[in-house]
Amino acid sequence: MSTISEPLESLAPTLSVRQVLMLERVLAGEPEVVAGAGQLDRAVRWVHVAEAADVGVMLSGGEMVLTTGVLLAGDEDKQAEYIRSLHRAEASAVVLGLGRAFPAPPDVMRRAAERCGLPMVVLHRPFPFAELTEEVQARLVRRKFAAVSMSEAVRTALTGLITAGAPLQHLLDEIAHHSGCPVVVTNLAHRVLATAGERSAVDDVLRDWERIARQAGGSEGDGWIRAELGGRGERWGQIMLCGYRGDTATGRLLADRAAESLVLHRMLGGTSAHSWEEQSAQSLLTDLVSGVVPARQLLPRARAAGLPVNRRTFVPLVVRDGDPAELDRVLRLLGLPGIVAELADGATAVLLSLARDQDAAVLTANFAARLTQTVVAAADPRTAWDDVPAGMREARHVADAVASGALDLPPVVRLKDVHLRGLIRLLRDDPHVQSFAERELDGLLCAAGDDLLAVLRTYLATGRNKSRTAQLHHVSRPALYRRLEAIQGRLGVDLDDFEQAASVHIALLAHDAQQA
């Protein structure tokens, strides 16, 4: 036997057996739990006063049954069957008022309730059942109304965001605000597509995501509440409330409203689950490239996105003029684990995650060979996750250095291949470099000089090869000579002099880098 000692959570959206027993009117009856003390958190859907021995046939589950047992006194078989019928009907609890029929808790009923795991409570003082029924029903109705109001408020807020064209992240932020816990959206493989909530709480969830994902198909509990995403008979993901502190029924209602809104957002926006994967990868790789977020903090996100991170070799790549969908298809075709995301200015980042015993150079070359009319810039492989951001920035720098279309590039361009051009790209924002470029090229930096500037660029890029320059510009040799003479006259230089030609070349590289 045990007594009631835990306080009523007055703000809880539903009532449990424990909460009903803590009501002031019930406490006046001196309640005592004589069986099923471990089941006091069962939800009470309704309160029912019943004396009939076959009361179970009148129940539909979740009722707290109040009785004086007047029709059960003197018949132990009826007493045991009464408890069993309540158990079969999935009643939440039975409350027996002691008095004329039973001056003390009946052992037969108590033992039967203990075997069935049914909470059995006796009241030591006379108690008007009608008052308890009225109060509990009123509280339940108020809570149901509050749940419906909450559901409509969430639906209205999310629908407003959708009609205003808000991005997915804004919807998730609103859901996290209402739920008060981290929110995670995944695909069917349990890879994380998007998250919302307090950053530290989200990171805690993602840090343990492998275990959570393995249990994702199990029953809900401890505030982990899921709702499926899909429509027209097709499932494509799920949304999960991670550690919701309210009751499960209200959390499930909130998750359902959230799922409805996400599906509607996808339909109206013409997006797909795959595009959400792209957004997730883009957010991760953008943060890696920028270096704003420490790499160690991004590790849980990478792992939850499905990227292998334990004992791996990471190869940072940036592809110019590549279609992210095509790059992702090539990765899958070659069986290379990695993530792909479009950055900016026609650049797409690719982060390969290879086993330590795989040849990174060969696999990177195989990847580049599958692509056409693209520049694949690569950084040296990294074996430590903390070094990946620097690698991503190196690959981005290499890609930027060849963005203007340098000639005779290898299939995979590395830092050693961009030479002076790469250095100038690094220094392009320096005021001294900018002034130098304008001073050296002043005679050509006008609309009339655009054609001459293009000829100068080709002439210097080909190593001052006049035949090759004439061929690329589709002009005769004499016509090219006239243009070169015009260039030298405007700039006041002799391009046959190595030092002067080198100075102009550096200035032109700086100018192009600044324009890019």
Side-chain angles (χ1 to χ4, degrees):
M1 299 184 183
S2 69
T3 57
I4 311 301
S5 60
E6 294 193 17
L8 170 66
E9 296 174 12
S10 58
L11 298 180
T14 59
L15 287 176
S16 66
V17 174
R18 188 189 310 279
Q19 291 169 329
V20 172
L21 298 182
M22 290 300 295
L23 294 175
E24 186 176 347
R25 292 183 180 180
V26 180
L27 290 175
E30 297 182 6
E32 179 188 2
V33 179
V34 297
Q39 303 294 321
L40 297 184
D41 291 322
R42 285 183 173 184
V44 176
R45 188 181 61 83
W46 209 244
V47 177
H48 192 67
V49 180
E51 300 290 355
D54 58 350
V55 63
V57 299
M58 297 182 285
L59 305 179
S60 57
E63 294 91 348
M64 173 180 279
V65 177
L66 311 180
T67 182
T68 63
V70 65
L71 300 181
L72 303 175
D75 191 331
E76 293 186 349
D77 290 339
K78 281 187 177 182
Q79 294 170 23
E81 178 57 27
Y82 183 83
I83 295 297
R84 289 193 293 267
S85 68
L86 294 180
H87 172 64
R88 290 193 297 269
E90 298 181 348
S92 59
V94 58
V95 178
L96 174 65
L98 299 181
R100 185 178 304 172
F102 292 103
D107 286 340
V108 172
M109 295 180 69
R110 182 181 58 77
R111 288 195 299 269
E114 194 66 53
R115 285 194 298 270
C116 294
L118 175 70
M120 179 176 173
V121 182
V122 297
L123 300 175
H124 289 277
R125 295 174 63 87
F127 186 85
F129 286 168
E131 291 184 11
L132 174 60
T133 301
E134 179 182 357
E135 180 171 350
V136 173
Q137 314 302 44
R139 287 174 179 262
L140 290 173
V141 169
R142 285 199 300 269
R143 280 159 174 74
K144 290 179 181 179
F145 179 76
V148 172
S149 298
M150 181 275 296
S151 174
E152 288 306 309
V154 172
R155 177 183 279 138
T156 300
L158 295 178
T159 301
L161 289 174
I162 292 172
T163 55
L168 169 66
Q169 190 60 51
H170 287 187
L171 267 69
L172 295 179
D173 290 341
E174 185 72 16
I175 295 166
H177 170 71
H178 283 281
S179 65
C181 67
V183 175
V184 176
V185 176
T186 73
N187 62 12
L188 294 181
H190 305 303
R191 291 187 176 182
V192 174
L193 306 182
T195 62
E198 184 181 348
R199 189 72 260 167
S200 60
V202 171
D203 287 344
D204 287 342
V205 170
L206 296 184
R207 196 170 292 113
D208 200 27
W209 186 251
E210 291 183 2
R211 180 188 62 81
I212 295 171
R214 286 196 299 269
Q215 298 176 353
S219 59
E220 295 175 345
D222 298 327
W224 298 86
I225 300 173
R226 298 177 301 277
E228 300 296 335
L229 300 175
R232 299 177 182 176
E234 178 189 9
R235 290 174 55 247
W236 44 268
Q238 68 176 4
I239 181 170
M240 180 181 290
L241 308 184
C242 305
Y244 181 69
R245 292 186 177 87
D247 74 302
T248 301
T250 303
R252 191 175 295 116
L253 185 63
L254 177 58
D256 288 342
R257 294 293 84 78
E260 291 172 4
S261 298
L262 295 187
V263 172
L264 180 61
H265 179 272
R266 174 188 171 187
M267 292 173 57
L268 296 181
T271 58
S272 64
H274 182 67
S275 70
W276 286 4
E277 292 183 22
E278 292 174 349
Q279 292 175 31
S280 175
Q282 183 180 40
S283 174
L284 174 61
L285 289 181
T286 299
D287 286 344
L288 278 171
V289 172
S290 70
V292 174
V293 182
R296 184 57 52 183
Q297 293 184 20
L298 297 174
L299 186 59
R301 288 170 56 187
R303 183 183 291 111
L307 185 73
V309 295
N310 295 330
R311 297 187 59 77
R312 307 292 288 187
T313 297
F314 302 101
V315 183
L317 306 175
V318 172
V319 181
R320 278 286 173 188
D321 304 317
D323 177 16
E326 174 65 13
L327 298 180
D328 188 62
R329 187 191 68 80
V330 172
L331 286 184
R332 296 176 188 274
L333 181 65
L334 296 176
L336 297 177
I339 50 178
V340 179
E342 187 173 5
L343 298 178
D345 303 326
T348 301
V350 180
L351 180 59
L352 302 181
S353 175
L354 308 177
R356 292 283 176 87
D357 59 353
Q358 291 181 295
D359 191 323
V362 170
L363 293 176
T364 303
N366 290 344
F367 173 72
R370 297 275 183 167
L371 308 177
T372 58
Q373 298 181 337
T374 59
V375 173
V376 179
D380 291 335
R382 264 64 175 175
T383 56
W385 175 258
D386 288 344
D387 295 334
V388 170
M392 294 301 307
R393 290 192 291 273
E394 178 183 316
R396 180 65 183 269
H397 164 64
V398 173
D400 286 346
V402 298
S404 57
L407 304 177
D408 302 322
L409 292 172
V412 179
V413 186
R414 303 184 187 278
L415 192 60
K416 64 182 180 61
D417 300 314
V418 297
H419 306 294
L420 178 62
R421 185 183 300 271
L423 176 63
I424 296 301
R425 295 289 298 193
L426 287 176
L427 300 175
R428 62 181 175 179
D429 295 326
D430 188 295
H432 298 293
V433 174
Q434 294 173 352
S435 297
F436 170 76
E438 292 179 4
R439 184 170 61 251
E440 290 289 303
L441 301 175
D442 182 57
L444 297 180
L445 296 181
C446 61
D450 285 348
D451 182 57
L452 294 180
L453 199 63
V455 171
L456 176 62
R457 183 180 293 108
T458 304
Y459 180 61
L460 295 174
T462 58
R464 294 184 293 175
N465 187 321
K466 295 175 182 177
S467 297
R468 180 63 174 154
T469 302
Q471 180 183 10
L472 290 173
H473 283 271
H474 307 288
V475 297
S476 65
R477 290 283 293 269
L480 176 66
Y481 295 156
R482 289 193 295 272
R483 295 186 186 186
L484 291 176
E485 289 175 359
I487 291 171
Q488 293 180 106
R490 289 197 179 196
L491 298 181
V493 299
D494 179 6
L495 293 179
D496 289 330
D497 181 86
F498 175 79
E499 185 174 340
Q500 294 182 55
S503 181
V504 172
H505 193 188
I506 292 172
L508 185 58
L509 290 176
H511 170 75
D512 290 345
Q514 292 158 14
Q515 295 301 308

